[in-house]
Amino acid sequence: QVQLVESGEGLVQPGGSLRLSCAASGGSVTINYMQWHRQAPGKERELVASISSGDYTHYGDSVKGRFTISGDSAKNTVYLQMNNLKPEDTAVYYCNMGNLWRSYWGQGTQVTVSS
């Protein structure tokens, strides 16, 4: 059974940086896309960034120029480098990986941006 394990949660001051990681384990699976989503209290879950085969990337408007997604297909691991963090980036961040037939989600990791 494939599981996604996230790490890198934390509390950071505005303007600071944080790096999230998410690794898939527990089974043999072909990963064609890797994504990060987030959900703030009282808000719907939103797509933050995605990377797919061929290293094509996409970012939500609110994080463009500040966040960078990268992936290691050999390790089935995805990273999210977050710079110049703002209080409005506070949320639970979820990684999502999969292919055309299966989608896997991490358990979520808390990111809090506050002075």
Side-chain angles (χ1 to χ4, degrees):
Q1 182 177 357
V2 176
Q3 290 185 324
L4 304 188
V5 180
E6 300 160 353
S7 60
E9 69 176 20
L11 169 65
V12 62
Q13 292 186 343
S17 298
L18 206 59
R19 189 190 194 211
L20 303 181
S21 301
C22 174
S25 63
S28 177
V29 60
T30 299
I31 301 295
N32 295 133
Y33 70 86
M34 301 176 175
Q35 299 178 339
W36 287 96
H37 300 248
R38 69 185 181 187
Q39 187 166 20
K43 295 188 177 182
E44 294 186 354
R45 190 173 297 190
E46 64 173 344
L47 175 64
V48 175
S50 66
I51 185 168
S52 56
S53 300
D55 289 336
Y56 175 79
T57 58
H58 170 78
Y59 295 93
D61 289 340
S62 61
V63 306
K64 282 181 181 177
R66 300 188 297 121
F67 290 11
T68 302
I69 188 171
S70 60
D72 185 336
S73 57
K75 297 180 179 179
N76 280 345
T77 300
V78 62
Y79 307 94
L80 186 67
Q81 177 66 43
M82 304 183 291
N83 298 329
N84 190 22
L85 282 160
K86 303 176 181 181
E88 51 264 42
D89 294 319
T90 295
V92 177
Y93 285 70
Y94 299 88
C95 66
N96 171 229
M97 298 187 198
N99 50 51
L100 285 177
W101 302 276
R102 290 286 184 91
S103 180
Y104 305 94
W105 288 85
Q107 79 284 0
T109 187
Q110 178 69 46
V111 172
T112 302
V113 184
S114 175
S115 56

